[in-house]
Amino acid sequence: QRLISSSFESYSTPGLCQFVAMLPPAVRLLPLLLVIGTGGPVPRPRSPPQGCYMAEEAGERTFRCSQAGLSVVPTGIPNDTRKLFLDANQLASLPAGAFQHLSILEELDLSHNALAHLSGAAFQGLAGTLRHLDLSVNQLASVPVEAFVGLQIQVNLSANPWRCDCALQEVLRQVRLAPGTGTGIVCGPGARPDLVGQEFLLLAGEEELCGTGRGGARRSTDVALLVTMGGWLTLVVAYLVHYVWQNRDETRRPLKRVPVLQVRSEDSSTLSTVV
């Protein structure tokens, strides 16, 4: 201890370096061992799930998990992913915020799964970036309109057993269909018996499916209000017409002549005229 103390007092900065160089190797490695010991194990980068891999396609960061046997949306998808392929898996539902950490995602392929349910917030956080969405060849009978509100996307909805209800009609008012996929939107077994097997776009052009229920309640109320107002207006017009015709008949009738009676006065012989 005295040797080290006196050495520090007698050496300048270059002398200090010479002093450290003269220390035994074990002493020189002690600070490094302390740093490693206090820092813990060096974290390893998270590897993608089995069957998934990252790639650069057309200069865009792509994450592929096709045919990976997934039953849920995998974790560990990089935040800078622009294209995500989860097709040909066993996904049955999409929870709220499943992709909200992918702030620059532009293309999402969920085709050839077993999707039967979408949360109304399944695509939350993708409104400003998502451009292409593939939901074809799933088990979707109906989807919530809220899931597509604010999305400026081109979507493929073909090859699903659609119920062909008001919800689907409202969704098609929110999105653009991918070219050539409209004819694949066909009414499935859950639709009205007279609609099963028919193309939905042809039906939607001929029939308003939102007459009742969600999406159609407001229209039904508006129609009822218009009918009520029309009924009252008809009654008012009918009354005015009746009133005018009645007055016209009254004006056409001749005036009745008032009878004139002649009576003899008791006090005089003159005649008095009594009306």
Side-chain angles (χ1 to χ4, degrees):
Q1 183 177 2
R2 291 179 179 177
L3 176 61
I4 295 174
S5 177
S6 61
S7 300
F8 272 107
E9 292 175 358
S10 60
Y11 283 107
S12 59
T13 302
L16 180 61
C17 294
Q18 294 176 1
F19 169 75
V20 173
M22 290 187 298
L23 292 176
V27 177
R28 293 199 300 267
L29 291 176
L30 182 60
L32 179 61
L33 294 176
L34 291 175
V35 171
I36 295 177
T38 56
V42 178
R44 296 181 179 179
R46 181 179 296 178
S47 59
Q50 186 176 3
C52 304
Y53 63 92
M54 287 295 304
E56 289 285 338
E57 298 181 3
E60 295 184 339
R61 198 153 175 82
T62 303
F63 193 79
R64 285 191 174 273
C65 280
S66 304
Q67 299 180 345
L70 301 174
S71 58
V72 295
V73 177
T75 59
I77 302 175
N79 295 342
D80 59 348
T81 300
R82 290 190 177 273
K83 294 183 179 181
L84 176 59
F85 292 86
L86 299 176
D87 54 301
N89 284 288
Q90 302 169 14
L91 303 177
S93 64
L94 288 182
F99 310 101
Q100 63 182 355
H101 66 290
L102 304 176
S103 58
I104 61 173
L105 187 65
E106 297 178 356
E107 183 174 343
L108 177 59
D109 189 346
L110 295 166
S111 64
H112 295 85
N113 276 279
L115 289 174
H117 172 72
L118 297 183
S119 167
F123 307 115
Q124 181 180 2
L126 304 180
T129 61
L130 191 63
R131 295 292 178 264
H132 301 279
L133 175 63
D134 195 342
L135 291 171
S136 63
V137 197
N138 278 283
Q139 297 300 316
L140 294 171
S142 184
V143 288
V145 181
E146 296 80 9
F148 300 90
V149 172
L151 295 179
Q152 303 296 322
I153 60 173
Q154 191 175 83
V155 62
N156 185 352
L157 299 173
S158 62
N160 282 282
W162 293 110
R163 194 177 298 134
C164 293
D165 54 4
C166 173
L168 181 57
Q169 195 169 41
E170 291 289 342
V171 167
L172 293 183
R173 290 171 179 159
Q174 296 283 341
V175 301
R176 293 177 294 112
L177 293 178
T181 64
T183 56
I185 303 177
V186 178
C187 302
R192 280 171 17 200
D194 58 317
L195 301 182
V196 175
Q198 298 192 42
E199 293 182 20
F200 182 75
L201 292 185
L202 297 179
L203 296 173
E206 300 174 355
E207 183 177 354
E208 175 58 55
L209 299 174
C210 292
T212 58
R214 183 182 61 184
R218 182 176 57 192
R219 275 184 286 276
S220 298
T221 304
D222 294 341
V223 171
L225 182 61
L226 289 175
V227 171
T228 303
M229 293 178 62
W232 280 106
L233 183 61
T234 302
L235 290 176
V236 171
V237 172
Y239 174 78
L240 290 176
V241 171
H242 174 73
Y243 178 80
V244 170
W245 277 96
Q246 186 178 18
N247 286 345
R248 189 174 66 172
D249 291 342
E250 290 290 338
T251 57
R252 287 181 177 180
R253 291 177 184 175
L255 294 176
K256 292 183 179 181
R257 305 183 72 177
V258 180
V260 178
L261 298 178
Q262 291 183 350
V263 296
R264 183 180 296 273
S265 175
E266 295 179 355
D267 299 333
S268 65
S269 59
T270 59
L271 295 176
S272 300
T273 301
V274 179
V275 179

